[in-house]
Amino acid sequence: MPALCPFDHAFADGPVFLEPSGFLAALKMTRSLAAARRLQAVWRSFHAAGQIGPEVRLGLGARLVNRNKRDAVTIGRHTVSRAVLRLEPAGRLTIGERCYFGDGVLISAMNHIQIGDGTLFAHGVQVFDNNTHPVDADERERHFAKILGLSKNTDYRIAHAPVTIGRRCWLGMNAIVFRGVTIGDDTVVAGGSVVTSDLPSGIIASGNPAVPVRNLKEFVAA
């Protein structure tokens, strides 16, 4: 079977890449002129936007959009990202070591999102520490007008609160985590779940809203 395109989804064996030492190294890694250029561009953008630990691996679709200062982002060693990570002007993002962010993962930080070592995000997971838009309709209209460049009015409020996700957690595909939530160490969030309130350590949570459904140790021992 021929080698698959390096732009592919992880489930189609799309690869992730260590930082290349130069264009020839990027070309050897990707075997494609377009992919080699993209790989270099992705790595340049990550270094410009955040503090990236050693032996991090990035997919060609990975993005880091940081509207705050560079030191507002920390990504720990051996982390793998195929995700879109976005920080607003006051946002901060702290990612531990050996984390994984699959295809379609979206993280939006307006306050502070912290993710512990060894935590895994399946494809499609979304984590927002903010409401994205104002809840009040008048404020929301002003906000969107500013986004469109039709107004400079900033008389609106977007609710936000920090999110903390502990060590060795696993968030299943298409799970969503909302503002103000803390998830304890080792906890598993089932695919499609919507986390709107704190979850303790060492449990399996499921549902909308997500609630504990099983003790993890009991589940593993069963």
Side-chain angles (χ1 to χ4, degrees):
M1 181 176 180
L4 293 172
C5 172
F7 294 90
D8 277 344
H9 190 286
F11 270 43
D13 289 338
V16 289
F17 301 95
L18 294 167
E19 183 177 11
S21 58
F23 179 75
L24 291 179
L27 182 60
K28 184 176 180 180
M29 293 163 75
T30 62
R31 301 183 183 181
S32 161
L33 289 172
R37 294 189 187 99
R38 172 74 69 84
L39 180 59
Q40 287 192 295
V42 168
W43 268 103
R44 282 195 300 268
S45 70
F46 266 72
H47 278 303
Q51 300 180 109
I52 314 302
E55 298 175 275
V56 166
R57 293 168 172 81
L58 301 176
L60 295 184
R63 295 292 181 271
L64 174 55
V65 179
N66 182 4
R67 300 179 64 197
N68 199 351
K69 297 178 181 178
R70 181 174 177 269
D71 62 6
V73 179
T74 302
I75 301 177
R77 68 184 303 150
H78 293 296
T79 283
V80 175
S81 181
R82 307 173 68 89
V84 175
L85 314 174
R86 179 182 174 92
L87 283 75
E88 302 305 330
R92 291 182 293 149
L93 177 61
T94 306
I95 296 172
E97 299 182 356
R98 305 178 309 281
C99 294
Y100 175 76
F101 302 91
D103 293 274
V105 169
L106 178 58
I107 294 178
S108 171
M110 184 176 286
N111 190 301
H112 188 194
I113 296 175
Q114 300 181 72
I115 299 165
D117 295 346
T119 286
L120 310 180
F121 287 62
H123 55 272
V125 169
Q126 298 191 39
V127 179
F128 279 72
D129 72 1
N130 62 89
N131 280 0
T132 307
H133 301 290
V135 174
D136 180 84
D138 290 335
E139 292 184 12
R140 188 164 61 250
E141 186 175 41
R142 290 194 291 272
H143 178 232
F144 192 56
K146 185 175 184 298
I147 291 173
L148 293 175
L150 303 177
S151 170
K152 295 184 179 180
N153 191 333
T154 57
D155 183 21
Y156 53 78
R157 297 161 295 169
I158 300 174
H160 56 81
V163 169
T164 301
I165 300 174
R167 298 176 61 252
R168 302 191 306 180
C169 294
W170 178 19
L171 278 66
M173 59 183 180
N174 298 323
I176 301 173
V177 179
F178 282 112
R179 64 184 177 91
V181 164
T182 294
I183 299 176
D185 294 345
D186 302 334
T187 283
V188 176
V189 177
S193 297
V194 180
V195 185
T196 60
S197 59
D198 293 354
L199 295 173
S201 300
I203 56 98
I204 298 174
S206 181
N208 180 6
V211 295
V213 295
R214 196 79 182 268
N215 179 283
L216 190 59
K217 289 184 178 178
E218 292 175 356
F219 178 81
V220 172

